[in-house]
Amino acid sequence: MYSASPEVGLDIEALSGICGSISIACWIVVFSPQIIENFRRHSADGLSLIFIVIWLAGDVFNILGAVLQGVIPTMTILAVYYTLADIVLLGQCFYYRGFTLSDAQPTIPDEEAVVDEETEESPLLAHDSTAARPKSRPTAADADGNRRSSSFSSFHSHLNQVDATHLSPTKPVISSKPTSDSPSVSANTPTSPFRTFLVNTTALILVCAAGSLGWFLSTRSSLGQQSHNTAPVLAEETEAIRFDLWGQIFGYLCAVLYLGSRVPQLLLNYRRKSTEGVSMLFFLFACVGNLTYVMSIFAYEPECAKLGREYKTMQCEAGEWNSDYRRYILVNTSWLIGSAGTLLLDMMIFAQFWIYRKNVK
């Protein structure tokens, strides 16, 4: 006999699931833009190694805290994937830099140490070398010499304006103006801000759509399996929210490390006065991943409310809904602090992208 397919409703639980799926999708691809950027540049100098190391330590504590506390599966899956991706990115940094934890310092040329080297194009006559000589009382001979010097200086200035490079037998006559069909000119043309915005926005929309589609397919499949089991579940049979001491300790350590991980990157960008070598899409995915991660935690519905909505009966006692929700938020406070705080620090990195945008080659 044909049975109608189960309907997927959009409620508070669905909102939490959609946000969690989008967060997973963002964190799956978050490291790809930075890895590609490092591979394209054959360098990882744009990233702070201390930033990656502290982030890796935070992910390790995140796994321990998530397992001990027994949080939602989304948080545990993300914690494991974070750790694996951090190891890949750290290995790439070590490959390009060598095994060192020190960030590359920006090299600022010393203007006083720069000495003009003589080349084939240097003028044969140097600039006025008599400027440093001590002045003496002018005489009639000096006046006549000044007139000669003035005439010679005028001739010398006109001579310097003549480009005699093509007169050298070792240099062919080549126009310095680039032609329109030169491939090197088009290859070195910087990407326009509009094109960068379009690419980043398109990639973000595709990832969010993939996360939403993944939630829809998984929910539809699970509803189809649950339709064969119609036995009611009482509120007393659901697992209560528990508070694990060591899980909370590791969770707060994870939050502190997450917050501290962005500081070395902010300082490195400030010292370099540039964000060159840092992928904007890397931090864009991180921001969206953290935002949807926080939303998936806040979008929580107590078990008694779920049962009451499913069986059309009142399952929550007086004050039970508020009590369960407060306890759930309290259990996940450390993860909320880590994700929300990191989101704010990532906004500061985006501000550096805007401030130092003219310094990117």
Side-chain angles (χ1 to χ4, degrees):
M1 182 177 178
Y2 174 78
S3 59
S5 59
E7 296 183 357
V8 180
L10 292 178
D11 49 18
I12 191 68
E13 184 180 5
L15 178 60
S16 177
I18 293 174
C19 291
S21 297
I22 293 177
S23 180
I24 291 177
C26 289
W27 286 112
I28 287 177
V29 300
V30 65
F31 292 97
S32 301
Q34 187 60 55
I35 292 175
I36 294 174
E37 179 73 12
N38 295 342
F39 178 78
R40 184 182 65 84
R41 295 169 50 84
H42 299 287
S43 172
D45 292 339
L47 282 180
S48 172
L49 273 174
I50 303 176
F51 158 58
I52 301 298
V53 170
I54 297 178
W55 200 355
L56 175 60
D59 289 337
V60 172
F61 284 113
N62 192 9
I63 295 177
L64 296 176
V67 171
L68 293 175
Q69 185 57 64
V71 296
I72 58 178
T74 300
M75 301 169 68
T76 307
I77 294 173
L78 289 177
V80 174
Y81 180 77
Y82 296 162
T83 305
L84 297 177
D86 287 339
I87 293 175
V88 172
L89 188 58
L90 187 62
Q92 190 184 38
C93 292
F94 284 148
Y95 175 79
Y96 288 122
R97 292 189 184 183
F99 290 94
T100 177
L101 293 180
S102 60
D103 294 325
Q105 297 294 332
T107 56
I108 302 176
D110 189 0
E111 297 181 356
E112 297 180 357
V114 176
V115 180
D116 295 335
E117 297 181 358
E118 294 185 358
T119 62
E120 296 179 356
E121 300 178 3
S122 301
L124 297 178
L125 297 178
H127 298 288
D128 190 6
S129 60
T130 62
R133 296 180 181 177
K135 296 183 179 181
S136 58
R137 180 177 297 179
T139 60
D142 291 338
D144 183 61
N146 289 337
R147 287 193 296 270
R148 296 177 185 176
S149 177
S150 176
S151 300
F152 180 78
S153 298
S154 177
F155 171 75
H156 181 60
S157 62
H158 288 292
L159 183 62
N160 286 337
Q161 295 177 359
V162 178
D163 186 10
T165 305
H166 61 280
L167 299 179
S168 174
T170 62
K171 294 196 176 210
V173 179
I174 300 178
S175 177
S176 59
K177 297 182 180 180
T179 58
S180 58
D181 57 348
S182 177
S184 60
V185 174
S186 59
N188 295 329
T189 302
T191 306
S192 63
F194 176 75
R195 182 179 179 183
T196 302
F197 172 79
L198 185 62
V199 170
N200 293 343
T201 304
T202 303
L204 186 61
I205 292 176
L206 291 176
V207 171
C208 292
S212 302
L213 181 61
W215 169 86
F216 178 80
L217 296 177
S218 62
T219 303
R220 190 178 182 88
S221 176
S222 62
L223 288 178
Q225 296 177 358
Q226 292 177 2
S227 62
H228 299 286
N229 185 13
T230 58
V233 180
L234 300 178
E236 291 80 3
E237 298 177 6
T238 59
E239 184 179 359
I241 302 175
R242 61 187 181 89
F243 190 92
D244 186 85
L245 178 61
W246 283 106
Q248 291 296 312
I249 292 176
F250 288 137
Y252 280 101
L253 286 175
C254 164
V256 172
L257 291 173
Y258 278 165
L259 295 176
S261 64
R262 296 305 197 267
V263 176
Q265 186 63 49
L266 288 168
L267 293 177
L268 179 62
N269 295 341
Y270 175 76
R271 290 197 302 266
R272 296 167 63 233
K273 297 294 186 294
S274 172
T275 56
E276 186 177 4
V278 182
S279 173
M280 179 183 290
L281 199 57
F282 171 49
F283 285 96
L284 184 61
F285 280 138
C287 283
V288 177
N290 279 321
L291 179 61
T292 52
Y293 183 73
V294 171
M295 293 175 61
S296 69
I297 295 178
F298 277 118
Y300 171 76
E301 188 177 24
E303 291 295 332
C304 63
K306 295 179 185 178
L307 296 175
R309 178 171 43 82
E310 182 176 356
Y311 297 105
K312 306 294 191 262
T313 59
M314 180 61 67
Q315 297 288 337
C316 292
E317 298 179 358
E320 183 180 1
W321 197 99
N322 293 331
S323 177
D324 287 352
Y325 187 82
R326 284 196 300 266
R327 183 174 180 83
Y328 174 79
I329 296 298
L330 180 62
V331 167
N332 294 279
T333 298
S334 60
W335 286 271
L336 287 173
I337 293 175
S339 296
T342 303
L343 180 62
L344 296 178
L345 292 175
D346 285 341
M347 293 299 179
M348 298 177 63
I349 294 181
F350 278 120
Q352 289 183 326
F353 273 104
W354 175 259
I355 296 173
Y356 303 136
R357 66 189 185 280
K358 297 181 179 179
N359 299 339
V360 179
K361 297 179 181 179

